[in-house]
Structure formats: structure tokens, C-alpha cells
Amino acid sequence: MTSPCSARLQLNENLQLMQAGSLMRKVKSRSWKKQRYFKLQEDCMTIWYNSKKTGNTKSTFSISDIETVREGHQSEVLQSIADEFKPELCFTIVFHGRRANLDLVANTPEEAQCWIQGLEKLIETVTNMDQKDLLDQWICDWFQKADKNKDGRMNFKEVQDLLKMMNVDMSEHHAYCLFQMADKSESGTLEGEEFVLFYKALTQRDEVLKIFQDFSKDGKKLTLLEFVDFLQQGQLEEENTEELAMDLIARYEPSDTAKKLHAMSIDGFVMYLCSPEGSIFNVAHEQLYQDMTQPLCHYFISSSHNTYLMEDQIRGQSSVEGYIRALKRGCRCVEVDTWDGPNGEPIVYHGRTFTSKILFKDVISAINKYAFRVCDYPVILSLENHCGVEQQDAMAQHLKSILGTKLIMSTLDGRIPTCLPSPDELRGKILLKGKKIGRLVDSLEEQPDDSVGEVTDEEENVEVEEERNEDKKRAKKSKERLSHLLSDCVIYCKSVPFVSFQHSRAHYTLYEMSSVTEYKARKLVREPGNDFVRHNAWQLMRVYPTGLRTDSSNYNPQEMWNVGCQMVALNFQTAGVEMDLNDGLFRQNARCGYVLKPSFMRHVETTFNPDQPQSTEGYSPVNLSILVISAQQLPKVENSKEGSIVDPFVRVEIFGVPIDQTKQETKYIENNGFNPMWYETLHFKIHVPELALVRFVVEDYDKTSRNDFVGQYTLPFKSIKSGYRHIHLLSRDGTKMPPASVFVHVRVTDASQPEQDT
């Protein structure tokens, strides 16, 4: 069976050589280099590798798993063997999510180029696949998995095995009836188009067909007017519905005949509902849609803690890859933890632990290269400086020589600022957050001074301290020497200690900012009144995980966003609910890492209090009704028993101000991960929709132990589209899992109005 990927590609010389296979070195470290046989499969979508040519189907990865290919010594591992292998032999395969890179060394430069160019061509082809191509590819993928003897045909036994793989619990009689229906040649096997017929019968969406027929007079097609009715009544679209209908038909209707009639068939209808336009996430919010000219303190800023770590904080690996991954995920504030290193070169690692060490200049080079790949809004380097003056000077020199004009070395107009600059004004710029000697006016006037100044260690909360000793340690104000060269690199983000909100108002300026632990921030959140919200309307605040989280776990960022904290720093390397929330919030606004705070959090006289939102001017609660209809092709649970089929249920969780925190779930469906149906409605009242995040979770119900995670999707409430929508599930790692999805109907109403059931 031919995959759409291979069908769309003309097998050039590179792909033919990749299909013939290559024996290359897989490199994990300077001492771990082993030969592995790599081969592109006939579907042009899968690569398997093994130490021998016999092949092991478990050692495979899909082209769709690959994010990019880097040529030469562009990883720390390959740089470590640069003296042994020339750059033209080396390349790195970078995967989506948190999966480790694959570093390879070819035997000749020609072989390396063959794989680099071939992979880039395959990645481009997969990226440009439309909905129909994706559907055809999924069909082909299942065929390849089920065709155990690789004869290009599928007998009934292979079909039964396939159903188990697909999470389908179907009686043998029903399965055989479908098999016979599809076996048009009566050969006792399914080939090519016969398998496509079988798959389409298996995946027929009865619940979608019912909706289609509710709006279609003849039950076979939707006329333009009928489709407009569906968009208005079913999808609750209000503007330019006829124009939208024409556009959707042009894009998703596979039949040329139907297109000419401006009509939509059931196939086109399903394709539209499964497309980005049929997703629960508002496609308009995938663009840059917010005002980017407000002061920096008016934005939530995607922020990373201990960015250099790939694992835990005791023995984990430090790597520039941590910076590359964070920046490519839209992170705009990264942390650099510096210590004195050998040969006068400062190093980055988690001090006084067994974590590995990397050079400061390598970190800055990686930041310089990747800072603006995703967007050109400013990046903030949060500097934890533990170096002596000599190596601080070296740090300053590296910052200036590597970053050049990207590094902010003066205010934008050369004057003392009266408000913080905006992301728009700081496009393509990198700001340093750290300690500074004296006042900003001193460095702007370029007064002659000594090369060394003194600051107290209270100008920064030392991140490794334990909270219970925080106040005692701060009382000891030992003097710390700071290089003027490094101090002059700090302009808009001078680190100062946080004492109290009153102290900040009396003693600090808007270009000074504080960092506090989650423990300290939580205590401030619990204080009566709304001083925290007002503080964050004029000054930046960074919150970071307690030093006790040695496993690199995370805290709930929502309670910090509720009071307007801009830089809520998380361990990006650790998957979980907390990073789901972070990814969910920053999914909007072109994933640029800046999200404009609600208007009621942007002025210093605001009355907004997350504990009493009803008293805020403009308070407008809403009702959210979610009819959970069905799910499609849920993946197998990791490490599940062979042959076991999931018992799925859907939970909807609301994160927001305390009164909005809640969750509800459907009942579980036994033994059906393929097309479970619920038709259950979940109701929520949301008091502050501007701050709410909605997380959809699918789990496998287990009577005797903890439920297993299947998939999730998190998004801002304000980015939800009403109507019939698909929720395209993500893995624990935050990567896509097509075609796994949940099908829902969403209705949002004013909370003062009575709700209507769908």
C-alpha cells in the first residue's frame, strides 16, 4: 500500500540511498560511539535502525517525530568529538518534545549530505500535508503495522490483531462482516483500496453523520445555504458566515463536483470538523492579535528556571540544549547560573551539586543563535552571578562580543525611563537581569568610576536557600564585589530584594525588579487586599521554584498569574500539569511568549482582588456548557498489557481565580479507545474568564490502581470557539498525537442568562 508521503515524492538519489540503508556511528558521548544500521522504510515515513541489518521494528521513529536536522558539530556531543570527526561527516536529528537528540557520524561527506538533504525533504513534505493526506497517511500507517508478513495484503487474523492495536473491542462476527464487505475481490485478503474501504467503514462517524443530516435536506450534501445555517446555529458563528462557508468548502471539500455546486459532502464535513478551523482553539488567536506596545510589566512572560538543566537538580545534565529547547518553545526569560571556572572561563551549572558544567560563552552563543527563531520579541537573561570580579569581567566581554547590538546597554532614548519599554520597542533585543552598582543615572552619564563596586547579597534572593531560613539569612548583609563592566550591562531589570509592597513603592523605581521563591510569593498571595496585583501593575516580579524541589518538579503557576506576576519561572524540562498550564496560556498570540494581562490588572489603582472578583468594576461571569460527545482513536496507554483496551473518561478542569478552580468528569466507557461515546454535558460558572484556563484530560479508568494518563489539551478560556469542536490531544510531553481527539459541543452564555441545553 503506497503512503501519500511516498506518492508525493519523486524518489531522488538521496531517498533511494536512504532506502538502501547506511551503517553510521551513533554517538552519545566521547566514549560511547557505536555503529548502527539506519534505513528509510518504503513508506518514506519511518526510519528504523539496529546494530545489524536484520532490523528490529521497535527501533524506529517517524519523520513526523523530527523537528529539524542540524548539520556539522551543532550539539555538545558532536563538539566533544570535533578533533576525531570532521564537521562534514556529522549531523544531529532533533525531535519534537523532550526526546533526546540523535547524533550521527556518516562515513563520507556525501553520505552525510544524502541523509541531511533527504530528511529535510521528508520533513518539508510531512509539514505540508493537508487533511486528506494526513488521513491517507494514518490509513497507510495502520496497514504497515498490521501487515505482519509484509506481503502487501491483510488476512482476517491480521485484521483482528489490528483491531486490538487500534483499541477496538469488536465481536468477531461484526469484524468479519466488515472484512467481507471490504473484500470486493473475494480473495480472503484486503489489498490497497479494499483496506481503505475497511478503514473508512471502521471509522465512520455516526455522531457527525447525525449532525450533518440534521442540516441536510437530502441527507447527502449540504447546500451553501444549509452549510451557512450550520455555521450560524451549530458553530455559533456570527460574522461573514456566507464568505466563511465558501472558503471552507474550497479548502476541505474533496469532490470537485460538490465544489462547483458550492456544496459540502459528508467527507468534506468531517474533514472541516477535524481541521484547525474545526478545532476548539480559535485560529484567530494563533496569530499575533494582542497590543504589543504596552510596558513590559503589563504582560505575562514565558519564563524558565534552571534553563541549563535537562533533568534533576542534584546529578542532572547541564546542556546548552536546555536553552535551545526553551527558546524554541517561545520562552522569553531564561536563567543563567554562573560560577568561577578553570582557565579564567566562567561556567554554568547548579552550584554545589553534581550537575555537569558548561561554558558561559557557549550558553550565550546558543542564546544568540536561537533567541529570535520563534519570534523577535525581547529575551531576558536572568543572571545568577556567583563569580569573582575577574570572571565577571569575562562574562561582560562575552555578552558584548557575542550578542553585539542585540544586548541592551542603554535606555532606548538615553534618558531615565518614566515607564518600561514595550515588547514592540524591544524587538530583537536581549536584556540582562542582575545586580547593579548604584543608580541607572550613573551609568547613563558614564561617570568615571572604579572597575569594582560593592552590593549587598540581599539584592537577590539566593535561590538555593531554604525558605525557613530565608529571613535569617537575609539579615546577614555581607558585602559582595561586583564588576562595573557587568553592572553596566543591566539597564531595565536591576535585581533588588523584596521587603514589602510599601517598601518597594517608597524606595524602588520601575526599572528595578525582585525575584521571590514560590514559598514567599504564596505568603504574599495570602495577604489581605490587592497590594500584590497593584505592585505588578508597575514593576516586574519573577517567581521561581523553591530550592527544595531537587527533582525539578514544578508549582502551580496559576495562583501567581492571578495576582499579575509576569515571570512565573518553571522547570521546562519537567512534563506535568504545571507545564501544560504554561503551554496553554502561551499557546495564543503567535506563541510569542508574551500575553497581555487583562485590563483590570494593568493600572496601579485597580480594585481587582482574585479572592473577591465580584467587587471588580466590569465583573462579567459566564456559564460554560460542554457536551462531551465522543473520542477518536485514543492511543494505547504506556506499558499496558498486550491486548488490553482502554476504559476512557474525560475530565474537564478549570484553572483560574480560587472561586473558579473546579473539575468535572464523564463516566468511563469500558473497552473502547477507538470511538467511545458519552453525550454527557458538564456545566461550569466562570467568574473571571480573562484569567481562566481550561484543561481537557482523557484517562484510562482503573478500579484497583491509579488511572493512567491518555492525553490532554489546555487552552485559555478566551481562546475557546463555541459550537461543535474537536480537541486534538497532546501527549504527556506536549507533543501532538494525531488522530487522537475528543469531539464536543461548547456553549458560552452570560451567567445572568438562563442556559440552554444543546
Side-chain angles (χ1 to χ4, degrees):
M1 187 174 185
T2 307
S3 84
C5 185
S6 57
R8 289 176 66 169
L9 287 165
Q10 291 187 331
L11 278 185
N12 60 26
E13 189 179 348
N14 287 338
L15 297 180
Q16 288 174 351
L17 288 170
M18 289 168 71
Q19 287 189 340
S22 299
L23 196 61
M24 295 185 282
R25 287 180 180 84
K26 178 182 175 183
V27 186
K28 286 188 178 180
S29 67
R30 190 167 175 83
S31 58
W32 197 103
K33 301 181 285 285
K34 296 190 178 178
Q35 290 201 320
R36 292 286 184 267
Y37 192 76
F38 290 83
K39 184 179 180 184
L40 175 66
Q41 301 289 68
E42 286 182 14
D43 63 358
C44 287
M45 274 294 291
T46 315
I47 291 172
W48 67 252
Y49 59 96
N50 205 308
S51 53
K52 296 175 184 164
K53 290 192 181 185
T54 52
N56 178 347
T57 52
K58 289 186 179 176
S59 298
T60 64
F61 57 87
S62 169
I63 298 298
S64 59
D65 295 335
I66 304 174
E67 182 185 312
T68 189
V69 182
R70 295 187 204 146
E71 195 170 342
H73 297 148
Q74 287 200 64
S75 75
E76 288 156 306
V77 169
L78 292 178
Q79 284 168 6
S80 73
I81 58 166
D83 58 340
E84 199 174 343
F85 298 103
K86 294 178 180 177
E88 53 265 31
L89 299 176
C90 302
F91 62 99
T92 301
I93 296 175
V94 181
F95 295 98
H96 292 290
R98 294 175 177 83
R99 182 171 174 175
N101 294 347
L102 180 59
D103 290 301
L104 298 172
V105 179
N107 296 295
T108 65
E110 293 76 21
E111 184 178 56
Q113 279 304 310
C114 160
W115 279 87
I116 292 164
Q117 292 174 13
L119 287 170
E120 286 174 344
K121 179 66 177 172
L122 292 171
I123 293 166
E124 181 189 3
T125 303
V126 169
T127 304
N128 293 330
M129 278 185 178
D130 60 21
Q131 287 292 118
K132 186 177 185 307
D133 289 331
L134 286 170
L135 177 63
D136 292 344
Q137 186 62 54
W138 297 330
I139 295 172
C140 185
D141 287 347
W142 283 120
F143 188 90
Q144 301 286 348
K145 287 175 185 174
D147 184 18
K148 292 285 174 58
N149 59 7
K150 305 299 176 193
D151 63 355
R153 296 189 293 272
M154 200 174 305
N155 59 38
F156 184 60
K157 172 68 171 66
E158 287 175 322
V159 165
Q160 286 179 298
D161 292 341
L162 171 67
L163 293 176
K164 286 179 185 171
M165 277 192 266
M166 295 174 90
N167 256 327
V168 180
D169 184 26
M170 183 182 287
S171 71
E172 187 172 332
H173 174 71
H174 188 194
Y176 192 63
C177 287
L178 283 180
F179 182 85
Q180 283 188 309
M181 177 278 300
D183 183 15
K184 300 297 184 186
S185 63
E186 298 182 1
S187 62
T189 59
L190 303 182
E191 300 179 48
E193 288 304 311
E194 292 178 333
F195 181 74
V196 172
L197 190 62
F198 174 80
Y199 180 89
K200 287 187 174 176
L202 192 65
T203 56
Q204 182 173 301
R205 298 283 300 277
D206 291 338
E207 77 280 28
V208 174
L209 184 61
K210 181 181 182 302
I211 299 163
F212 180 84
Q213 290 174 339
D214 284 346
F215 286 88
S216 168
K217 190 175 181 181
D218 66 4
K220 295 177 182 176
K221 67 180 182 303
L222 289 173
T223 65
L224 181 60
L225 288 178
E226 287 170 343
F227 191 37
V228 167
D229 284 345
F230 169 73
L231 292 176
Q232 291 173 345
Q233 298 166 34
Q235 302 300 72
L236 307 175
E237 299 281 2
E238 295 174 348
E239 297 177 6
N240 306 320
T241 45
E242 188 165 331
E243 189 181 321
L244 175 61
M246 296 277 281
D247 177 55
L248 293 173
I249 289 169
R251 278 198 283 163
Y252 297 115
E253 175 51 55
S255 162
D256 289 334
T257 306
K259 273 185 190 174
K260 286 174 186 172
L261 296 169
H262 300 306
M264 184 167 262
S265 67
I266 181 64
D267 286 344
F269 190 65
V270 171
M271 218 163 275
Y272 151 62
L273 285 175
C274 293
S275 75
E277 280 76 16
S279 161
I280 195 166
F281 187 84
N282 187 345
V283 287
H285 288 193
E286 289 180 354
Q287 313 304 315
L288 193 73
Y289 74 99
Q290 295 183 335
D291 176 7
M292 302 304 287
T293 63
Q294 304 263 341
L296 277 182
C297 56
H298 287 180
Y299 296 85
F300 296 122
I301 303 171
S302 181
S303 303
S304 161
H305 176 64
N306 287 352
T307 315
Y308 47 89
L309 286 181
M310 302 294 284
E311 300 161 38
D312 67 64
Q313 306 189 13
I314 302 298
R315 298 179 182 275
Q317 178 195 1
S318 301
S319 171
V320 297
E321 200 64 44
Y323 291 92
I324 296 170
R325 290 186 180 188
L327 291 167
K328 286 170 87 170
R329 285 180 79 156
C331 180
R332 297 288 89 187
C333 176
V334 296
E335 184 182 23
V336 187
D337 203 344
T338 60
W339 300 78
D340 282 335
N343 306 316
E345 283 292 348
I347 54 175
V348 174
Y349 82 113
H350 199 49
R352 305 187 185 97
T353 66
F354 297 104
T355 58
S356 58
K357 302 170 179 65
I358 48 179
L359 291 175
F360 175 77
K361 64 180 179 182
D362 289 346
V363 168
I364 302 305
S365 294
I367 291 169
N368 182 55
K369 185 172 183 180
Y370 288 94
F372 305 112
R373 290 277 180 99
V374 172
C375 75
D376 58 0
Y377 289 116
V379 169
I380 299 166
L381 307 188
S382 181
L383 187 63
E384 284 294 319
N385 171 24
H386 306 281
C387 292
V389 172
E390 190 176 320
Q391 293 206 12
Q392 288 177 38
D393 285 343
M395 286 164 59
Q397 294 292 353
H398 288 319
L399 286 165
K400 292 174 188 175
S401 63
I402 296 170
L403 300 179
T405 56
K406 292 176 188 171
L407 182 67
I408 287 281
M409 290 294 296
S410 174
T411 55
L412 295 180
D413 59 3
R415 300 174 184 172
I416 297 297
T418 54
C419 71
L420 283 169
S422 69
D424 204 53
E425 292 173 302
L426 292 168
R427 282 175 179 267
K429 296 298 183 183
I430 294 175
L431 292 77
L432 190 66
K433 170 196 162 294
K435 300 173 188 176
K436 186 172 184 68
I437 301 165
R439 303 171 304 158
L440 179 60
V441 66
D442 299 332
S443 54
L444 291 181
E445 291 174 357
E446 297 185 3
Q447 295 176 344
D449 49 37
D450 299 326
S451 62
V452 178
E454 289 186 334
V455 292
T456 63
D457 69 359
E458 74 163 359
E459 288 191 356
E460 176 185 81
N461 295 328
V462 180
E463 295 208 4
V464 295
E465 68 184 333
E466 296 182 8
E467 287 76 7
R468 58 179 173 269
N469 295 325
E470 197 171 34
D471 295 330
K472 292 179 186 174
K473 290 193 176 184
R474 192 180 288 131
K476 299 175 183 175
K477 297 182 182 177
S478 60
K479 293 290 182 182
E480 186 178 335
R481 286 151 63 83
L482 184 62
S483 148
H484 262 286
L485 287 176
L486 188 60
S487 171
D488 287 346
C489 296
V490 177
I491 304 298
Y492 288 115
C493 299
K494 175 184 174 181
S495 295
V496 291
F498 182 82
V499 178
S500 69
F501 297 121
Q502 293 74 19
H503 179 270
S504 295
R505 280 197 299 271
H507 298 282
Y508 293 155
T509 61
L510 56 87
Y511 52 82
E512 295 172 317
M513 62 171 292
S514 303
S515 288
V516 297
T517 65
E518 57 172 291
Y519 170 82
K520 175 71 172 175
R522 219 172 272 121
K523 284 207 298 189
L524 295 171
V525 167
R526 287 196 288 265
E527 287 185 4
N530 74 336
D531 284 344
F532 210 165
V533 179
R534 290 183 169 194
H535 173 87
N536 289 326
W538 72 277
Q539 195 178 52
L540 290 167
M541 171 75 81
R542 178 175 177 268
V543 181
Y544 58 88
T546 163
L548 300 175
R549 292 185 182 272
T550 54
D551 58 352
S552 290
S553 60
N554 282 310
Y555 57 96
N556 180 358
Q558 185 69 51
E559 56 186 329
M560 311 308 171
W561 292 327
N562 287 343
V563 291
C565 294
Q566 300 87 354
M567 302 179 196
V568 181
L570 298 177
N571 289 300
F572 270 47
Q573 72 271 30
T574 306
V577 178
E578 299 82 10
M579 274 306 297
D580 291 345
L581 296 176
N582 197 77
D583 290 342
L585 176 65
F586 293 103
R587 193 178 304 286
Q588 61 186 313
N589 209 30
R591 296 177 185 260
C592 74
Y594 286 85
V595 169
L596 187 64
K597 293 198 282 189
S599 58
F600 54 75
M601 302 182 91
R602 302 202 302 259
H603 52 95
V604 292
E605 300 302 321
T606 178
T607 60
F608 174 71
N609 182 339
D611 290 324
Q612 298 171 321
Q614 299 92 331
S615 60
T616 307
E617 186 181 345
Y619 168 68
S620 52
V622 297
N623 292 315
L624 169 65
S625 295
I626 300 171
L627 172 65
V628 181
I629 302 172
S630 63
Q632 296 71 46
Q633 302 187 53
L634 300 174
K636 286 278 193 182
V637 170
E638 291 176 22
N639 305 318
S640 60
K641 292 177 186 174
E642 193 171 340
S644 68
I645 293 172
V646 299
D647 304 328
F649 67 93
V650 178
R651 183 170 61 250
V652 178
E653 304 169 344
I654 310 294
F655 292 83
V657 296
I659 197 173
D660 286 339
Q661 300 272 5
T662 187
K663 57 188 174 185
Q664 293 181 37
E665 59 191 42
T666 66
K667 64 180 183 294
Y668 68 91
I669 305 291
E670 283 194 31
N671 291 335
N672 189 348
F674 190 71
N675 57 357
M677 299 269 190
W678 287 278
Y679 282 102
E680 289 186 52
T681 303
L682 309 178
H683 297 280
F684 303 92
K685 182 174 181 179
I686 301 178
H687 295 264
V688 188
E690 297 88 346
L691 285 173
L693 292 169
V694 183
R695 183 171 183 257
F696 295 86
V697 193
V698 180
E699 289 185 354
D700 177 16
Y701 177 76
D702 196 312
K703 294 182 181 69
T704 56
S705 62
R706 188 176 176 180
N707 297 329
D708 290 311
F709 174 88
V710 175
Q712 71 83 31
Y713 187 82
T714 307
L715 75 166
F717 171 81
K718 297 293 274 185
S719 295
I720 286 179
K721 284 287 279 184
S722 295
Y724 291 100
R725 302 290 167 184
H726 277 95
I727 299 158
H728 299 284
L729 295 174
L730 303 175
S731 70
R732 192 186 299 278
D733 213 22
T735 53
K736 295 176 182 177
M737 304 192 300
S741 63
V742 175
F743 187 47
V744 298
H745 184 274
V746 178
R747 185 179 293 275
V748 178
T749 57
D750 188 308
S752 60
Q753 301 295 319
E755 280 194 89
Q756 299 174 2
D757 281 334
T758 306

